[in-house]
Amino acid sequence: MRLLALALFLILPEKAYTEELTWEQVIDDSKTAEKEIQDEILDGSDTAVYRVTSRCNNPDTAGTYLQIKLFDISSLRTVIYHDLQCNGVDEIQYSKPFIPENDKHTFRVYGEVGTNFTIKYDLLQTNIKLDNQEGKTSGVVSYKSMMVKSFKVSEDDIESSSDWSYIQIWAESNDDNKFFDPLKTGDLDHRLVGRLMVTNNTANLQSFYSNPNAALDGALRLSFSTFGMITLSVASVPKISSGEWYIAVVMDDRFGETRDKAVEITVKVRTDYEYTSEIGILFAVSLLGIIIPFLARAIFDVENMHFEDLKFKCWLETIKNWFWSGKKGLTYLTLLLACLLIVSAFQVVHAKYADMQESGDRDICFYNEKCYRPYLDHYDVSVNGVASNLPFMVHGVILVIYFSISEAYCRSRGHGNEDHKYFDYSIPYSFGLAFICEGFGSLLYHICPSQIIFQFDTLFMFVISIIMIIAIFEGYSIRDQDIRISTIASHKAIRTPKVFAFFIGPVYFFNFIGNLIATEGLPIQFVTVFYIIFALWWIGILLWAAYKLDLWPDSLNPKHVDVIEVDAAVKGTDVIETDGPVELPKSMSFIKGRRAKVVKSIMFLLYCCVVAAGFVLALLEKLSFSIFILGVLIFGQIVLTMVFFIPTIWVVLRHFVNLPVQLANHKIAVSKHFFVLFGVVVYVLLGCVVVVISLVFFTVFSVTDKSIYPWRSREQNSPCYLGNFYDTHDFWHLFASFALMMMAMVVVQISKPCRMCYLEYLKKSRDRIQTVKNLKNMKSGAAAAGAVMKFKKAGKKSPTTPSSATNGAEPEQQ
């Protein structure tokens, strides 16, 4: 029977344990009125609250007040005290939760003579019993009323053998109605929005009912439609502790909704706070990125894989030159930008987070509440969202170390020695630093995710995308003191200050103002001027891109490099002992020439259309400003990579021309051929697969949306995806880091940081191709010579055939 009663309690809606009683009376000459009420005795362990709805009116005196007092008869303890203004309007008061000591209470009313009043009151049970550290209850929240529940937590409940415990309280509602707000959703239905509060201070109950959106001391609150969760931990305010806790639910009156809302509340004590092993596994998986740079080198730069001559002393010398000498302008400015922006970002994010903590408003930051794991007693944030940025940092460190080894390799082979004449690893090092800083930027963002803070998550995604674009152009540009690639170069390299002055700086500015317009709103005059300047900047960037792609006519291109003059200057240099500059494969004509111009023009027009479409969507607030800028940058990077990667691949594949001849003469091993040939295909396909998987996790399995109302964002919350710790957004971080790393290695190959290594590679390729041609020609010549000799032998034997001999002898006999 006890189990049956408990089951009925858990599934039945909240109920009054006394029938709703109404007391109507007029104040007489004594200026007081009194009424004794008797309630049903509750279980001594159950907590209850009184709900009193009162109204008064005095026809003779306007603006008078009525004092209402409800107290316990035996102890004279006051349960409710309220000063009611007599204006004919209903006011609702809730008592502090208490454990009834007996069944008798008294109402006492004081007021002016002739004041008529009406008081309705009922006693509500609030206790949620925790069975196996979990309890549920349900009820209906009405307009202008509040549902109050309570639960007790013991020391045994919150202590565990591992780390600290935490308590999750969530409210769910399966209302079929949808919310209507044409400015935000465009839906045709309404969705009932409620407010959930958790506190251990009973004084907050009436304050929350009076103003659900006001800041409360020692209370956590949020808005919800179908789901909302609050987590109590050692980092939350208030902190988790043993004792009585109270849950309150009201309707959010900001949307003018007057219907009732059915709500189910669940309380669960969790002890799975341990997360060291999960982070360790993530770190180990991230270390697999070590394979990527060496695999890319083995595929795309197979002739420069001879690290056996590289000495540790040479690597240390390279590390020393990071600080003492060398061309590292872009690297140094990237590091400077990181120091300035990350410190500023932390100040802004911490202020936003502190505001959430002090006010208790969980609508300020957008978390995936269904997979929320507190971060010890330091930050009341989801530790999985913060820790999942580890792959970016690990991969950044791997890239920096790998490129230092590559630079040491160039140094050990004498490619410029101290003056770095023929190698420049400034761009590759910038990739590594940008990866590390992206990890920190995303980490800061996940302390308090929101639309205005999202700009800090994309800070170094912008940098990575822009550096990739610059690196691609760098690969086909002429650097200072380095004109060895003049056969295909048409422009000088982009100066580092210009990268920051005309690209990275404006992107940050426009991104910040765009997000400010979307979140806070700015005067229409300012917004109009801003979008005009933004459009003009984009036009300038597109014109610059057309110039770098050789889409301008030569008459409008004053800085166009005279390739013939440059080639003449290169002739006879000691780079490679030849009579002239290195002859590149014919496939390189894809970068230059009439057909190349047609292809690049089509891709350029496609990119312009994407930019224009994204600009319109951002202008109409259909697309987040940060997503627009980042999207067009990534799309441009992908387009450029596709255009300039084809000749890079062709150089690799041309290395294995006339394979049968090479294999017949033992010029290349079969295993090496297949590794490189199919390695290119596998690397490209695998990279595409990783990119697609990361985008699917980011878009299809999104767990929050910072551009809409917080309660609508919570409808997208999803449980942990793996190990009861990581959600789908964490997997976006992991796969995105691997995808960017694979793409960065391709872009570095296009950028040719070591021109000398590249030219040596081309020379070996040319020599090998020529050798194969010679072998083929020799074989063909030998075959032809053999055929001639055979023919000659056949010609000598033809006069001595039997028939010929007979015919020739007959005249002699005659």
Side-chain angles (χ1 to χ4, degrees):
M1 292 299 293
R2 284 182 174 271
L3 291 176
L4 178 60
L6 177 61
L8 291 174
F9 168 72
L10 292 177
I11 62 175
L12 290 176
E14 181 187 63
K15 60 166 288 185
Y17 276 74
T18 58
E19 296 181 2
E20 187 177 83
L21 300 179
T22 302
W23 176 27
E24 297 183 7
Q25 190 170 326
V26 178
I27 301 295
D28 55 18
D29 294 338
S30 64
K31 295 185 178 183
T32 183
E34 189 171 303
K35 181 179 180 63
E36 182 180 303
I37 59 175
Q38 184 170 352
D39 302 304
E40 179 180 343
I41 294 293
L42 303 179
D43 186 343
S45 62
D46 289 342
T47 308
V49 295
Y50 266 109
R51 179 171 60 195
V52 176
T53 305
S54 53
R55 179 180 68 249
C56 65
N57 185 33
N58 192 323
D60 299 328
T61 306
T64 59
Y65 282 85
L66 196 69
Q67 293 181 349
I68 302 175
K69 183 178 180 181
L70 177 65
F71 59 92
D72 182 89
I73 292 179
S74 59
S75 63
L76 299 181
R77 177 173 57 86
T78 300
V79 178
I80 288 181
Y81 181 86
H82 178 49
D83 287 331
L84 176 66
Q85 185 176 9
C86 296
N87 53 12
V89 178
D90 285 346
E91 293 189 16
I92 300 178
Q93 292 290 313
Y94 287 84
S95 70
K96 296 180 180 180
F98 66 99
I99 297 177
E101 299 176 2
N102 56 59
D103 60 345
K104 293 183 179 180
H105 288 80
T106 298
F107 269 113
R108 187 170 293 169
V109 178
Y110 305 90
E112 296 294 333
V113 176
T115 301
N116 58 74
F117 63 88
T118 302
I119 296 177
K120 298 179 181 179
Y121 58 94
D122 52 358
L123 185 64
L124 305 176
Q125 184 176 17
T126 67
N127 195 51
I128 300 176
K129 300 183 185 299
L130 298 182
D131 185 15
N132 292 326
Q133 297 184 328
E134 182 175 359
K136 289 186 178 182
T137 188
S138 60
V140 176
V141 184
S142 303
Y143 177 67
K144 291 296 183 182
S145 78
M146 178 172 66
M147 181 171 70
V148 180
K149 298 295 180 181
S150 66
F151 63 93
K152 278 186 177 180
V153 179
S154 65
E155 290 291 341
D156 294 336
D157 291 329
I158 60 177
E159 288 182 354
S160 66
S161 58
S162 56
D163 279 305
W164 298 276
S165 302
Y166 58 100
I167 301 176
Q168 292 182 321
I169 304 100
W170 64 90
E172 295 177 289
S173 179
N174 294 323
D175 296 311
D176 295 330
N177 302 298
K178 294 183 178 179
F179 180 77
F180 172 68
D181 183 353
L183 296 178
K184 289 290 182 181
T185 65
D187 295 336
L188 300 178
D189 302 316
H190 289 68
R191 195 182 293 279
L192 300 176
V193 182
R195 300 282 293 178
L196 172 68
M197 182 198 70
V198 177
T199 183
N200 58 355
N201 184 359
T202 57
N204 288 325
L205 292 174
Q206 188 60 43
S207 301
F208 179 66
Y209 171 76
S210 301
N211 186 0
N213 300 306
L216 300 174
D217 185 21
L220 295 171
R221 54 195 171 84
L222 55 78
S223 59
F224 71 97
S225 56
T226 59
F227 172 82
M229 177 183 288
I230 289 176
T231 301
L232 296 173
S233 67
V234 292
S236 63
V237 179
K239 291 184 177 182
I240 184 175
S241 62
S242 58
E244 195 89 12
W245 288 85
Y246 306 99
I247 307 168
V249 181
V250 299
M251 295 298 295
D252 196 328
D253 57 1
R254 291 177 296 178
F255 306 110
E257 185 57 62
T258 59
R259 291 175 293 168
D260 296 345
K261 183 178 183 65
V263 178
E264 181 181 72
I265 295 177
T266 304
V267 178
K268 185 173 181 62
V269 180
R270 295 185 179 273
T271 57
D272 54 349
Y273 209 139
E274 199 277 327
Y275 52 78
T276 306
S277 58
E278 283 79 1
I279 296 179
I281 293 173
L282 180 64
F283 178 75
V285 173
S286 302
L287 287 178
L288 295 177
I290 296 175
I291 302 173
I292 294 176
F294 291 98
L295 178 64
R297 190 179 186 98
I299 293 173
F300 302 116
D301 200 6
V302 66
E303 294 296 342
N304 290 305
M305 282 293 292
H306 307 291
F307 290 109
E308 59 272 8
D309 297 331
L310 180 60
K311 296 181 179 179
F312 183 70
K313 181 180 179 181
C314 187
W315 183 75
L316 291 179
E317 185 73 16
T318 301
I319 301 300
K320 187 194 76 173
N321 283 326
W322 286 358
F323 309 98
W324 293 101
S325 64
K327 300 175 182 178
K328 301 290 188 298
L330 187 61
T331 307
Y332 296 150
L333 283 179
T334 302
L335 184 60
L336 176 62
L337 183 72
C339 295
L340 295 176
L341 292 180
I342 289 179
V343 171
S344 302
F346 179 75
Q347 292 173 347
V348 175
V349 173
H350 190 273
K352 195 86 171 176
Y353 168 79
D355 183 26
M356 180 194 71
Q357 288 289 84
E358 293 174 4
S359 64
D361 188 0
R362 303 291 291 185
D363 285 349
I364 294 177
C365 303
F366 291 63
Y367 300 109
N368 179 16
E369 309 286 358
K370 289 186 179 180
C371 188
Y372 187 88
R373 300 295 178 263
Y375 179 46
L376 299 179
D377 58 346
H378 304 296
Y379 274 95
D380 189 14
V381 300
S382 186
V383 66
N384 54 307
V386 173
S388 61
N389 295 286
L390 187 62
F392 288 107
M393 304 179 194
V394 174
H395 291 166
V397 173
I398 291 173
L399 287 177
V400 170
I401 296 175
Y402 167 75
F403 291 131
S404 69
I405 295 174
S406 299
E407 185 179 5
Y409 175 83
C410 294
R411 185 183 301 278
S412 66
R413 295 178 65 85
H415 295 170
N417 295 325
E418 295 299 328
D419 60 0
H420 293 210
K421 192 173 183 179
Y422 304 127
F423 62 90
D424 182 359
Y425 278 84
S426 179
I427 288 179
Y429 283 134
S430 299
F431 277 132
L433 288 178
F435 269 65
I436 297 172
C437 295
E438 169 57 26
F440 278 108
S442 183
L443 182 150
L444 292 176
Y445 162 72
H446 284 85
I447 291 177
C448 183
S450 61
Q451 185 173 4
I452 192 64
I453 302 296
F454 183 61
Q455 59 182 310
F456 301 124
D457 186 22
T458 56
L459 278 178
F460 283 90
M461 291 296 288
F462 294 153
V463 174
I464 293 173
S465 300
I466 292 174
I467 291 178
M468 283 188 176
I469 293 173
I470 299 302
I472 292 172
F473 284 122
E474 179 82 2
Y476 296 93
S477 300
I478 298 176
R479 302 171 186 159
D480 294 341
Q481 300 178 339
D482 182 10
I483 53 178
R484 306 299 176 252
I485 200 160
S486 57
T487 307
I488 58 171
S490 300
H491 298 276
K492 289 186 177 180
I494 303 172
R495 304 290 182 181
T496 299
K498 290 183 179 180
V499 175
F500 285 82
F502 299 118
F503 295 92
I504 296 178
V507 162
Y508 282 162
F509 172 77
F510 291 128
N511 181 51
F512 171 72
I513 299 297
N515 280 284
L516 199 62
I517 293 172
T519 54
E520 305 296 332
L522 293 173
I524 186 62
Q525 297 86 350
F526 179 87
V527 174
T528 303
V529 173
F530 166 76
Y531 277 110
I532 292 174
I533 296 175
F534 185 54
L536 292 175
W537 178 79
W538 261 117
I539 292 173
I541 293 299
L542 292 175
L543 290 175
W544 172 86
Y547 163 69
K548 284 294 184 181
L549 290 170
D550 285 323
L551 299 181
W552 285 22
D554 292 344
S555 59
L556 298 177
N557 190 355
K559 291 187 177 182
H560 189 85
V561 178
D562 191 341
V563 176
I564 298 177
E565 180 182 347
V566 170
D567 286 346
V570 177
K571 191 173 182 178
T573 60
D574 59 350
V575 178
I576 296 177
E577 296 180 358
T578 61
D579 295 333
V582 176
E583 179 185 357
L584 300 181
K586 293 180 179 180
S587 64
M588 286 300 185
S589 62
F590 185 81
I591 302 300
K592 299 174 65 67
R594 189 171 300 174
R595 282 186 296 178
K597 217 162 201 177
V598 172
V599 174
K600 290 190 286 188
S601 298
I602 294 173
M603 302 300 282
F604 178 73
L605 290 176
L606 174 63
Y607 183 67
C608 290
C609 293
V610 171
V611 172
F615 184 85
V616 172
L617 291 175
L619 188 64
L620 299 176
E621 296 186 3
K622 300 293 185 181
L623 183 67
S624 167
F625 211 83
S626 296
I627 294 297
F628 159 59
I629 297 178
L630 183 60
V632 294
L633 286 176
I634 292 178
F635 183 75
Q637 161 202 326
I638 293 173
V639 169
L640 286 174
T641 303
M642 291 172 58
V643 171
F644 289 97
F645 188 54
I646 293 175
T648 303
I649 288 294
W650 187 253
V651 171
V652 175
L653 299 184
R654 287 275 293 179
H655 199 74
F656 305 99
V657 67
N658 293 330
L659 178 64
V661 177
Q662 296 187 51
L663 294 177
N665 291 273
H666 307 288
K667 297 297 182 181
I668 185 171
V670 177
S671 59
K672 184 178 181 181
H673 162 71
F674 282 107
F675 176 78
V676 177
L677 192 62
F678 292 104
V680 171
V681 178
V682 172
Y683 189 93
V684 173
L685 291 179
L686 184 61
C688 293
V689 169
V690 175
V691 169
V692 170
I693 292 175
S694 64
L695 291 177
V696 168
F697 275 120
F698 181 72
T699 56
V700 178
F701 298 105
S702 176
V703 294
T704 57
D705 187 348
K706 289 81 180 175
S707 64
I708 57 179
Y709 288 114
W711 48 265
R712 288 205 66 213
S713 175
R714 290 189 177 93
E715 295 177 8
Q716 300 183 19
N717 288 178
S718 61
C720 295
Y721 187 74
L722 181 67
N724 199 29
F725 187 78
Y726 293 113
D727 60 18
T728 52
H729 188 76
D730 301 328
F731 279 88
W732 145 252
H733 289 163
L734 179 64
F735 282 96
S737 183
F738 274 100
L740 283 174
M741 192 180 193
M742 297 183 73
M743 188 173 293
M745 292 307 304
V746 172
V747 171
V748 167
Q749 182 64 27
I750 297 174
S751 71
K752 308 171 186 64
C754 181
R755 291 290 172 86
M756 191 68 169
C757 297
Y758 181 69
L759 292 174
E760 287 183 350
Y761 183 92
L762 292 179
K763 184 178 185 300
K764 292 177 181 178
S765 178
R766 185 190 65 176
D767 293 345
R768 186 180 297 279
I769 292 170
Q770 189 60 45
T771 301
V772 172
K773 287 181 179 179
N774 293 338
L775 289 172
K776 187 175 182 181
N777 292 336
M778 290 173 59
K779 190 173 182 180
S780 300
V788 171
M789 292 298 294
K790 188 175 182 181
F791 177 76
K792 288 182 177 180
K793 289 180 179 180
K796 289 179 180 180
K797 291 180 179 180
S798 59
T800 60
T801 56
S803 59
S804 298
T806 304
N807 294 334
E810 288 179 353
E812 296 179 354
Q813 292 176 357
Q814 292 176 355

